Amino acid sequence: MKILITGTAGFIGAHLAEALIKRGDEVVGLDIINDYYDINLKYARLKKSGINREDIKDNKLINSTLHKNYKFIKADLQNKEILNTLFENEKFDKVCNLAAQAGVRYSLTNPDAYIQSNIIGFINILEACRHYKVKHLAYASSSSVYGLNEKMPLSTNQNVDHPISLYAASKKSNELMAHTYSHLFNLPTTGLRFFTVYGPWGRPDMALFLFTKAILNNEPIDVFNHGNMVRDFTYIDDIVEGIVRVIDHPPQGNPNWSGKKPEPSSSIAPYKIYNIGNNNPVKLMDFIAAIEQKLGKKAKKNMMPIQQGDVPATFANVDDLVKDLGYKPNTPVTKGINNFIEWYLDYYKN
């Protein structure tokens, strides 16, 4: 297949591109490479797949030096002209949209970035998929859409109309926009609600990265909600395996769906929503303890109140993922933490 992956300088996108290249798909990666966090890390992720920083030019498709089936373009999803030209020339079979402005806390101070990237960028992707007859659009949603929901485990059958951050609202908007295009234009779309993804090459604004860096530098870590947090940490390899299976299985539409008793995660249209989580929530203090054990150092802890926009607990119901795709994430959190720390120590050894 020929697949476009947006966000390939990002954490999940870089891993997904590697997996699809390895299995023989023809892959085109796209990323704006913004400075939300360290761009050197983004360029290092690209370099692993043979995309060299010195070769990258705005809006110019370049070839990987390592893989004949991989190309990359530095472009902005808000640029409709470039996006449409790319779709017209490359004739993608499928698209996986992972490009987005991430982060709950950043959305409190930089709301415009979320509207531009996550709403305008996404409508441009939908329009391109519609006009150029893409066979399946998979896209990143987020567990943050569950907002004020407290019934655990969090299920795609639940109502998600009470987000508590603009980031979450933008992801919920993506799901609504995707359904509209599935319904109006018969475009198969699948939304993936990721649950706290972690692992090697992860984002520097995520807890595991922040904690590891601080502990190694003998600096205190901020522990929110006084440590009374629970997260369904999901290892990157599990996330990628789930995305690949989803890409390969476009939704057909649910023949049993009823508008009199609407089921939120499917439709009569070719539309589906999945949770991708470990289905095994971990207490934040246990997570920190596992980092301390691997590093052989104790953390200095600043116990803090919960941050605006944060939820105290996430726990994914992945029954649909198991039923439809025969898959359930299962990497133990201690193994995932150990793999991340080994990568971190190697990457920053100099």
Side-chain angles (χ1 to χ4, degrees):
M1 290 186 295
K2 192 167 195 178
I3 302 173
L4 171 67
I5 306 171
T6 69
T8 45
F11 173 33
I12 300 173
H15 282 273
L16 178 63
E18 283 189 349
L20 292 176
I21 292 163
K22 186 176 180 180
R23 79 168 191 173
D25 291 307
E26 195 175 345
V27 177
V28 174
L30 179 150
D31 205 293
I32 187 59
I33 317 179
N34 68 19
D35 61 358
Y36 169 62
Y37 60 79
D38 180 17
I39 62 168
N40 294 315
L41 179 59
K42 296 183 178 186
Y43 281 114
R45 292 187 189 125
L46 289 170
K47 188 174 178 63
K48 281 180 76 234
S49 297
I51 304 298
N52 299 315
R53 187 171 187 166
E54 58 272 17
D55 298 331
I56 296 172
K57 304 285 188 294
D58 286 355
N59 305 322
K60 185 175 183 294
L61 202 59
I62 63 170
N63 295 311
S64 165
T65 58
L66 295 177
H67 306 287
K68 66 180 186 299
N69 56 333
Y70 185 39
K71 293 185 282 191
F72 175 81
I73 184 168
K74 181 175 185 264
D76 191 336
L77 292 184
Q78 295 166 56
N79 188 329
K80 287 182 73 170
E81 184 180 350
I82 291 295
L83 200 61
N84 288 337
T85 299
L86 182 68
F87 272 73
E88 185 171 354
N89 292 341
E90 295 300 319
K91 297 177 172 54
F92 300 112
D93 296 303
K94 299 185 178 181
V95 173
C96 185
N97 184 60
L98 300 175
Q101 179 57 60
V104 168
R105 290 165 198 158
Y106 189 71
S107 69
L108 301 179
T109 52
N110 296 273
D112 288 356
Y114 293 78
I115 301 303
Q116 298 300 320
S117 180
N118 300 6
I119 305 297
I120 294 174
F122 191 64
I123 193 65
N124 290 344
I125 283 283
L126 283 167
E127 277 285 280
C129 288
R130 165 198 173 190
H131 288 295
Y132 295 98
K133 309 302 180 189
V134 167
K135 298 181 182 75
H136 186 199
L137 168 63
Y139 60 94
S141 186
S142 168
S143 61
S144 67
V145 300
Y146 288 105
L148 291 175
N149 291 23
E150 294 182 3
K151 184 181 178 183
M152 299 292 165
L154 296 166
S155 167
T156 55
N157 293 321
Q158 293 172 359
N159 174 293
V160 287
D161 287 342
H162 299 91
I164 57 173
S165 70
L166 187 65
Y167 170 66
S170 73
K171 289 299 186 180
K172 167 65 174 171
S173 299
N174 287 171
E175 296 178 1
L176 295 171
M177 293 159 73
H179 183 267
T180 303
Y181 273 66
S182 294
H183 173 74
L184 291 174
F185 309 114
N186 204 38
L187 170 66
T189 66
T190 306
L192 300 165
R193 292 176 181 167
F194 298 139
F195 279 70
T196 317
V197 189
Y198 74 105
W201 298 94
R203 287 195 349 236
D205 61 329
M206 298 293 281
L208 178 54
F209 205 114
L210 291 168
F211 291 168
T212 299
K213 181 181 180 182
I215 293 168
L216 286 169
N217 292 336
N218 298 309
E219 296 169 351
I221 63 173
D222 291 335
V223 181
F224 294 107
N225 204 32
H226 305 285
N228 296 313
M229 304 274 269
V230 176
R231 287 287 179 270
D232 206 348
F233 294 100
T234 317
Y235 189 61
I236 183 62
D237 291 357
D238 289 337
I239 288 286
V240 167
E241 174 68 19
I243 298 172
V244 170
R245 291 192 184 216
V246 161
I247 288 172
D248 290 346
H249 292 85
Q252 304 298 312
N254 180 359
N256 299 316
W257 194 89
S258 167
K260 293 179 179 177
K261 193 176 180 182
E263 193 275 310
S265 71
S266 68
S267 173
I268 200 74
Y271 167 88
K272 185 64 182 170
I273 300 290
Y274 290 108
N275 286 336
I276 300 191
N278 206 34
N279 194 232
N280 186 26
V282 175
K283 293 177 181 177
L284 179 59
M285 297 307 291
D286 292 341
F287 189 72
I288 293 169
I291 301 170
E292 292 172 326
Q293 183 171 352
K294 177 64 177 174
L295 292 175
K297 292 183 72 174
K298 298 296 285 184
K300 301 172 184 174
K301 303 177 185 74
N302 281 337
M303 307 307 276
M304 312 262 293
I306 196 166
Q307 292 281 92
Q308 270 193 310
D310 265 358
V311 295
T314 63
F315 176 11
N317 178 322
V318 294
D319 290 351
D320 280 0
L321 202 64
V322 175
K323 177 170 63 76
D324 295 351
L325 305 177
Y327 180 65
K328 180 179 177 180
N330 58 14
T331 302
V333 74
T334 49
K335 180 181 178 183
I337 287 171
N338 289 352
N339 290 350
F340 169 82
I341 290 172
E342 286 168 13
W343 165 80
Y344 184 97
L345 294 173
D346 180 66
Y347 182 76
Y348 290 106
K349 62 179 178 285
N350 297 322

